[in-house]
Amino acid sequence: MIEIVNVTKRYKQLTAVDHVNLSIRQGEIFGIIGYSGAGKSTLLRCLNLLEKPTQGIIVIDGKELTALSDQEVRKERQKIGMIFQHFHLISSKTVYDNIAFSLKAAGKTKAEIKKRVPELLEMVGLSDRSAHYPAQLSGGQKQRVGIARALANEPKVLLCDEATSALDPTTTKSILQLLKKINKTLGITIVLITHEMEVVQNVCHRVAVMENGQVVELADVYDMFANPQTALSKQFVQTVHSLELPERLLLGRKGAIVQITFKGDSAEEAVISETLRQFHISVNILHGQISYIQERPLGTLIIEMIGSQSDVRQAIRYITKRTNQLEVLADVA
């Protein structure tokens, strides 16, 4: 659906996007995460040529946008919806007219607009706010108007630039649920820029991590949480799944301290109880949590294993075989 080939964007001496290559599949929600200044928003704006790449190729739905004339690009943009962090609504226009504005710009007739706007309002849950002005809306409602406006011309791609960053957690959750619903019911490909790993966890299928204008890691979201490969990815994962223990919990321990990651089926199996039955050890649970990512369980457990060196090491080998992911944080005392 979207091919980003060797895309670079420079502003004089500053390279905001540096030779990025990505392939985004039809119908997926693709996340791009990074800290401020990583180049993620610039890359997003390159996709609809609001920012023209200094070099590289952008292909969307089989058309090479970077090879089109300005007039042709404007026509193709109608197939690419975009929503923004700060909504960008017209304060002097009602909710109805804000949505109708993009339809008028696309040359739709009054009859087409009259039919389409109520459909969009119902889709985003604002049928009762048609005559309201932006100043009369909450932040979440404003973003719903922005989403309706972005969907007005039935785009094949929806670009979301920090769409939930200005919203409170409860409203963020409702907006993410709406995006998931839109993706599922309409099959629209969504590219979502964020600096919040919780957003990625909740809605994305795959994610690219950006730093200094480059993609430093690309993975299925579940795999990213289960086994991040770079230091930056680990930082982002730990903002959602903190694995740091207070130092006092590590003082005076008598056994081996291990961290076990349970993925897929192993997260639902009685691995620890079976270990205790087979080996003469005792266990202190120091930390534990389980999450569901893309409806698949992912669990983390940090335990102290107490027993003879032989029994502890046999137990470690057994758990490693069952889970494929065990790290010894401290050796047997």
Side-chain angles (χ1 to χ4, degrees), residues 159-295:
L159 307 180
C160 305
D161 190 4
E162 299 277 10
T164 60
S165 294
L167 305 175
D168 63 76
T170 300
T171 306
T172 291
K173 185 175 180 180
S174 71
I175 293 297
L176 294 178
Q177 287 173 340
L178 176 59
L179 291 175
K180 287 173 73 173
K181 176 184 173 183
I182 289 167
N183 170 256
K184 185 174 182 179
T185 57
L186 302 181
I188 292 177
T189 303
I190 298 177
V191 184
L192 190 151
I193 298 297
T194 185
H195 63 271
E196 300 170 300
M197 200 63 177
E198 192 168 1
V199 170
V200 171
Q201 175 183 328
N202 286 335
V203 299
C204 295
H205 301 120
R206 290 192 300 147
V207 60
V209 181
M210 287 192 71
E211 184 176 31
N212 298 325
Q214 298 180 327
V215 172
V216 297
E217 188 167 351
L218 170 65
D220 176 270
V221 168
Y222 187 90
D223 293 336
M224 177 75 73
F225 276 89
N227 191 25
Q229 297 297 304
T230 65
L232 180 59
S233 299
K234 290 176 182 177
Q235 285 180 23
F236 278 120
V237 168
Q238 287 177 6
T239 63
V240 180
H241 297 279
S242 177
L243 302 177
E244 292 186 10
L245 295 178
E247 284 190 21
R248 65 177 182 80
L249 286 180
L250 302 178
L251 296 176
R253 293 295 167 188
K254 300 176 181 179
I257 299 174
V258 300
Q259 177 178 311
I260 310 162
T261 300
F262 298 90
K263 296 187 290 186
D265 292 341
S266 69
E268 298 173 347
E269 295 174 353
V271 175
I272 299 300
S273 60
E274 290 173 12
T275 301
L276 292 174
R277 281 199 298 268
Q278 292 194 40
F279 305 99
H280 298 292
I281 64 169
S282 58
V283 165
N284 286 329
I285 296 175
L286 305 179
H287 172 83
Q289 62 183 13
I290 188 166
S291 300
Y292 286 85
I293 302 169
Q294 298 173 349
E295 299 184 354

